[in-house]
Amino acid sequence: MDRLRIVGGQRLQGAVTISGAKNAALPQIAAALLSPYPLELTNLPQVSDVENMLNVVALHGAEVSRAAHSTTIDARAILSKETSYDTVRRMRATVLVLAPLLARFGEARVSLPGGCAIGARPVDMHIKALAALGAEIDIENGLIVASTNGGLTGARVVLPSPSVGATETAMMAATTAKGETEILNAAREPEVADLAACLTAMGARIEGAGTHRILVEGSTTWQPAKHHGIPDRIEAGTYAVAAAITGGMLELTNARLENMASVVQALEAMGVSVWPSDRGLVVSRDGPLKGADLTTEPYPGFPTDLQAQFMALAACAEGASLIRETVFESRFMHVPELMRLGVNVSLQGTTALVRGGAKLKGAQVMATDLRASVSLVLAGLVSEGETIVNRLYHLDRGYEQLDRKLKLCGADIERLSA
Ligand code: UD1
């Protein structure tokens, strides 16, 4: 298994190209199953979660063809309406194929998902949303078995909390339903709005995506489509922390300020400067880092997917920081590994108290999930001596060429192949 070797102490400087958003790409690949016409996606990041999702739609019979900067998914003929445990166990987002298969064929069988070990992560809201549109759903031997009696019917779907995935499931299913669907308490994440933009290009009629109330007019007439996905705001936030933690300056090409307000606010509160450039955002720090209190929340709040990275940053600040996780119930697996590098954290339930000013020292550490792994890399960038990050496959799920991008702006980092 590949490992990363990092020698800390280099100040990062230069430009980093931010890839397409993984969390926008995954539902869009699933959405291709809705239509009998090809969907061309032109900003897919080269990460293993995207590969995995492309394999999943290919296993369903979709034809996947690649050119230099675009991938076309043609789901004209679908051979299989069942997604096996083997294909979904590695990635929870595979549950996103359930709604498109059901909406198009009136039946689907999808294994209950696996994925990052960050809490129980049930799929009850996905199931309730489909049931509200008239689907019959059972769980049989670890499979979600869904069917409709003559198709889905538009309805009001009220989500108990604004789940990103459940909003996407409801929106996709509603495109083929008879009549109008209203999704209330919808997730407002930019990736939800980008899925709506992609579905609209495919022929769907959707209003309000990006707000709490989404309206979908059903019975879509599908058409061939092309869509360029949004840049990855979590990847951008991660490199912003890399600039801040090393006291460097990075231009994040393609990053968008409007999708990152809460992240920029947190950076500024910690003494980091952020300003827009012609190509994206510039992040720089030359003064001291200050501690700050952070609470993760659904968008537009501070993203849970940047919590671990900001913990590494807080460890290097003057003073203490309180970090509260409210989205997932157990998302602090990075804490024991960060502590191996000298990070000073006390955990109480869903709150972490990070005492700043730690002198970090390199060590062997183990990645436990995607964002946890990258927090170890960030801490390694400022740890004295050598840090080895094991179990890199977590990192490869969501960061395109992380080691190469960091090396290009001055990090002492190399990938050690098994
Ligand atoms: C998406 C992102 C993930 C991010 C998360 C929160 C993708 C592919 N992944 O995940 O990177 O961390 O949003 O921003 O886009 N929940 C239920 N029942 C459900 C669904 C969710 O209880 O049916 C709970 C989850 O356990 C969690 C919370 O709701 O506590 C939010 O989850 P959700 O917004 O659904 O996250 P995902 O769509 O899985």
Side-chain angles (χ1 to χ4, degrees):
M1 226 177 283
D2 287 6
R3 296 172 301 155
L4 270 187
R5 176 179 172 275
I6 305 154
V7 179
Q10 305 298 321
R11 187 176 166 269
L12 299 194
Q13 191 148 26
V16 178
T17 303
I18 301 305
S19 301
K22 166 183 85 78
N23 287 351
L26 299 178
Q28 289 167 18
I29 295 168
L33 296 178
L34 280 163
S35 161
Y37 296 101
L39 170 64
E40 182 183 355
L41 296 171
T42 51
N43 198 25
L44 293 183
Q46 287 179 19
V47 297
S48 67
D49 269 8
V50 163
E51 285 306 308
N52 198 23
M53 198 63 156
L54 289 169
N55 285 339
V56 169
V57 295
L59 282 169
H60 283 284
E63 217 174 85
V64 177
S65 35
R66 323 239 186 163
H69 299 288
S70 91
T71 300
T72 301
I73 305 158
D74 187 339
R76 201 173 338 173
I78 290 284
L79 307 175
S80 160
K81 292 161 214 157
E82 175 160 337
T83 313
S84 71
Y85 176 66
D86 208 40
T87 52
V88 302
R89 84 191 144 78
R90 270 172 277 143
M91 191 175 70
R92 174 186 160 80
T94 340
V95 77
L96 291 169
V97 301
L98 175 65
L101 290 174
L102 178 70
R104 183 155 166 213
F105 301 104
E107 57 175 289
R109 296 160 68 85
V110 174
S111 186
L112 283 164
C116 273
I118 50 173
R121 301 188 85 175
V123 289
D124 55 315
M125 285 192 256
H126 296 247
I127 291 174
K128 280 184 194 136
L130 295 175
L133 298 175
E136 280 173 27
I137 302 189
D138 287 310
I139 306 289
E140 286 172 17
N141 311 322
L143 283 179
I144 308 169
V145 180
S147 62
T148 69
N149 200 349
L152 295 167
T153 309
R156 173 175 289 169
V157 178
V158 185
L159 296 175
S161 66
S163 152
V164 175
T167 303
E168 292 167 343
T169 283
M171 207 160 62
M172 289 190 282
T175 58
T176 67
K178 284 187 217 87
E180 189 180 81
T181 295
E182 181 184 28
I183 306 167
L184 294 178
N185 200 21
R188 289 183 283 168
E189 268 70 1
E191 292 75 18
V192 171
D194 200 44
L195 174 62
C198 176
L199 289 167
T200 302
M202 293 165 71
R205 288 158 296 170
I206 302 175
E207 275 175 32
T211 74
H212 281 310
R213 179 172 178 262
I214 301 178
L215 294 176
V216 184
E217 192 59 57
S219 307
T220 299
T221 305
W222 300 105
Q223 61 196 24
K226 181 172 178 173
H227 179 72
H228 190 81
I230 52 172
D232 196 316
R233 64 195 167 94
I234 305 301
E235 189 194 22
T238 301
Y239 286 103
V241 172
I245 205 167
T246 63
M249 185 193 297
L250 290 179
E251 181 172 28
L252 312 177
T253 309
N254 299 334
R256 289 187 193 166
L257 189 59
E258 70 267 24
N259 287 347
M260 298 182 63
S262 61
V263 178
V264 170
Q265 207 177 8
L267 287 165
E268 287 177 346
M270 296 180 84
V272 181
S273 306
V274 183
W275 65 95
S277 67
D278 291 346
R279 301 191 301 172
L281 283 182
V282 180
V283 181
S284 122
R285 176 177 70 87
D286 44 28
L289 262 179
K290 292 178 274 185
D293 295 344
L294 293 174
T295 300
T296 67
E297 282 168 345
Y299 189 85
F302 184 83
T304 175
D305 285 352
L306 284 171
Q307 183 253 105
Q309 298 88 318
F310 272 73
M311 187 179 285
L313 187 61
C316 303
E318 286 172 3
S321 303
L322 267 187
I323 300 184
R324 221 157 61 87
E325 172 63 54
T326 74
V327 178
F328 290 108
E329 78 274 25
S330 73
R331 199 173 198 179
F332 283 128
M333 282 92 56
H334 43 283
V335 167
E337 294 302 308
L338 282 172
M339 287 172 83
R340 291 170 61 79
L341 298 170
V343 171
N344 186 342
V345 189
S346 318
L347 267 186
Q348 190 148 48
T350 54
T351 303
L353 169 65
V354 186
R355 293 190 175 85
K359 196 94 202 79
L360 305 188
K361 290 214 167 81
Q364 290 259 356
V365 286
M366 188 78 84
T368 50
D369 79 28
L370 172 54
R371 309 303 172 185
S373 338
V374 87
S375 75
L376 301 171
V377 175
L378 293 167
L381 292 175
V382 286
S383 295
E384 190 189 313
E386 184 180 277
T387 296
I388 304 282
V389 182
N390 293 291
R391 286 207 192 149
L392 271 203
Y393 60 88
H394 286 294
L395 210 61
D396 293 334
R397 287 186 42 207
Y399 286 94
E400 179 175 324
Q401 302 197 356
L402 178 87
D403 43 324
R404 189 168 163 269
K405 289 187 185 184
L406 284 171
K407 206 181 184 103
L408 279 175
C409 35
D412 186 344
I413 185 167
E414 75 178 308
R415 197 178 177 106
L416 308 171
S417 293

